[in-house]
């Protein structure tokens, strides 16, 4: 008798014509759409220029985490890239609608995408796509990380805002190329390095470092995204009186630390077992507590 | 009596499922499609990561220019970004088909787009989009150009290939942000500067500089695209015994030169009247001859 594996729950697509103002046709600000058919124009500026921004929100047992901070960061990215300001109330409702329309699963990845829209139209395109998260179990157990140059100095946010450091744009080809390079080196992920020698962030994650009883991350002023997950962990740690702060660190600082993690909203806390060839201590118990906090279940 | 303006000729869309190998469904390698309806999935990696490459080919009076060099450069970009190698013969036929299907016009802009495809599918998405070129007459008469830092050193191609310097990717949000910054400064376009102080290229163009009877451009090794237009002009100049070469130049070198242009396949040769505040000499007669060469009509 042939075995059949159950079909994966179908992704959910919500189109949001009201993301930055009332839809021109007077219709609803968002509506469910068929995720299995093409929905984007080939002249949408995201397809011709990678000109857009995004957020990825994790939802655990049907409850999305940090929706407010994610949408606030989307608004921050919109400002950096000069897109109209997104209507965070509409987007929050649309995120809820996407999750409600999805078959219940343990871990859902909900992407909020905002592009500059079809060439010449002058109206952003926005959609929300919810799908079962990838299985991040191996990452949460620990992973090797390669240090790769991002080529830019930590000073560029101040001097050259058009380089969009710190904006979460849809121009992520370099981030994807860096992950491919890491895999070639036998690592699972990347820690970017500035041209002036400081560690920054991962291609899709934020750095957290433990030094004794203190927890550190990269300052946003160095050109990294303000991490929503690191903010959650900092708040949780501070409740217990643990010291947290922002500091520029070198690869040697991280390699010689008492533990380091790459944080993201869907992978949660992935401990770094090796930074290039340097082995780091891994605290699996603390990491497990981090996962609970980041799932919003602490 | 109300005046009516004639409708602009409709853009033409050609989908190319056979761009990197025979289509899985055994169908034709390319076919015309409706450019007025959505044709892209929201999970195409170009829409979620800006993960793809492109070329823009100019066609003048129905004749495309430099199709071979453009498709060779597309193949070069595919190699840099680790996409399957495009079938240049299929793409050349598809470009011809797009032009043939378009209403005859003086200047056509033909984009060839190749993305990493729908997430998880492992097959690139490819399309060709032909439309009437924007009116570049003002640029060809001369334009102000702002020098803007690109943040990267001229050495990164060698040291950090994952930064994709020299690949013509669809992650162009920074290029678009730089042009917006230039416009805020009262300029029409940008000349990028490396972090080690050398001029590079425009966001969508190549630099050409005249010094006495010699013509210069930026070396490809500095992390710029190998320009198809500068190659055409160099070939034409060399036929007359004029010296041409690649050289790393500073903004002061360009400001003190005997003329400079930003070259592209659709805008052709746009002379720089001012580089930031420095005024440059403009040779309109030579510029007009450049346009003829770049239109393939010399």
């Amino acid at each position: 008798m042939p075995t059949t594996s159950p079909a994966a729950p179908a992704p959910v697509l919500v189109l949001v014509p009201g993301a930055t103002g009332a839809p021109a046709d007077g219709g609803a600000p968002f509506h469910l759409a068929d995720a299995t058919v093409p929905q984007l124009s080939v002249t949408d500026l995201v397809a011709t220029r990678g000109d857009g921004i995004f957020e990825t929100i994790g939802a655990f047992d049907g409850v999305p985490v940090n929706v407010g901070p994610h949408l606030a960061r989307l608004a921050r990215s919109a400002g950096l890239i000069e897109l109209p300001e997104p209507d965070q109330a509409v987007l929050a409702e649309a995120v809820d609608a996407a999750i409600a329309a999805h078959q219940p699963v343990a871990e859902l990845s909900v992407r909020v995408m905002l592009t500059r829209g079809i060439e010449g139209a002058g109206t952003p395109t926005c959609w929300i796509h919810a799908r079962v998260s990838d299985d991040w179990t191996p990452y949460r157990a620990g992973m090797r990380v390669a240090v790769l140059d991002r080529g830019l100095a930590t000073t560029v946010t101040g001097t050259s805002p058009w380089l969009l450091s710190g904006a979460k744009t849809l121009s992520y080809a370099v981030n994807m190329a860096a992950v491919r390079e890491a895999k070639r080196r036998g690592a699972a992920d990347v820690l970017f390095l500035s041209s002036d020698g400081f560690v920054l962030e991962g291609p899709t994650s934020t750095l957290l470092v433990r030094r004794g009883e203190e927890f550190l991350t990269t300052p946003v002023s160095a050109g990294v995204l303000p991490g929503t997950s690191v903010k959650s962990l900092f708040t949780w740690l501070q409740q217990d009186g643990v010291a947290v702060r922002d500091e520029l660190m070198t690869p040697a600082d991280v390699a010689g630390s008492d533990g380091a993690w790459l944080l993201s909203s869907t992978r949660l806390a992935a401990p770094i077992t090796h930074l290039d060839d340097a082995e780091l201590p891994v605290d699996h118990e603390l990491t497990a507590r981090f996962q609970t906090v980041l799932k919003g279940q602490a």
Side-chain angles (χ1 to χ4, degrees), chain A:
Chain A
M1 197 171 86
T3 57
T4 54
S5 60
V12 166
L13 176 64
V14 173
L15 301 180
V16 194
T20 59
D25 64 1
F30 60 86
H31 58 87
L32 283 166
D34 186 347
T36 65
V37 301
Q39 296 281 3
L40 285 180
S41 165
V42 293
T43 59
D44 194 291
L45 284 153
V46 77
T48 58
R49 299 293 189 193
D51 203 352
I53 55 176
F54 76 108
E55 287 291 325
T56 305
I57 299 171
F60 302 90
D61 299 329
V63 182
V65 174
N66 276 338
V67 173
H70 277 291
L71 296 179
R73 190 169 69 180
L74 188 78
R76 179 181 181 272
S77 293
L80 289 169
I81 198 174
E82 295 172 66
L83 280 174
E85 193 178 341
D87 184 328
Q88 297 183 46
V90 164
L91 286 173
E93 274 187 66
V95 166
D96 285 342
I99 295 169
H102 197 284
Q103 189 176 322
V105 295
E107 299 195 11
L108 205 57
S109 171
V110 184
R111 286 189 289 205
V112 182
M113 323 292 280
L114 183 68
T115 86
R116 205 173 297 277
I118 292 175
E119 285 176 355
T123 313
T125 303
C126 180
W127 72 94
I128 290 168
H129 188 260
R131 65 171 175 82
V132 177
S133 286
D134 294 334
D135 179 9
W136 297 115
T137 315
Y139 286 76
R140 293 174 192 162
M143 60 178 187
R144 288 178 172 269
V145 169
V147 177
L148 292 181
D149 182 20
R150 193 157 68 181
L152 300 173
T154 51
T155 50
V156 293
T157 355
T159 60
S160 313
W162 55 87
L163 298 177
L164 305 178
S165 269
K168 198 166 170 75
T169 78
L170 290 165
S171 281
Y172 258 33
V174 165
N175 299 41
M176 300 299 103
V179 173
R180 289 194 298 273
E181 174 66 19
K183 291 191 171 162
R184 262 193 299 276
R185 297 182 183 198
D189 209 337
V190 172
L191 180 57
F192 277 126
L193 186 71
S194 71
S195 61
D196 44 347
F198 298 105
V199 293
L200 295 168
E201 62 190 347
T204 59
S205 59
T206 305
L207 176 67
L208 175 70
V209 173
R210 176 182 193 166
R211 186 191 292 153
E213 292 310 305
E214 202 176 46
F215 288 82
L216 311 160
T217 193
T218 312
V220 168
S221 60
V224 301
L225 290 185
T228 54
S229 299
V230 80
K231 195 171 174 201
S232 293
L233 289 186
F234 272 15
T235 302
W236 179 75
L237 288 163
Q238 285 176 303
Q239 283 167 2
D240 282 345
V242 176
V244 301
R245 69 195 167 83
D246 298 349
E247 184 180 301
L248 282 177
M249 293 170 276
T250 65
D253 291 335
V254 179
S257 74
D258 297 304
W261 295 260
L262 290 180
L263 308 178
S264 86
S265 298
T266 52
R267 283 183 300 172
L268 308 178
I272 301 175
T273 63
H274 297 77
L275 190 68
D276 290 337
D277 291 332
E279 192 169 352
L280 272 79
V282 175
D283 185 335
H284 291 292
E285 195 191 322
L286 179 61
T287 301
R289 292 168 70 198
F290 284 172
Q291 316 303 12
T292 308
V293 175
L294 294 174
K295 284 181 177 177
Q297 298 171 347

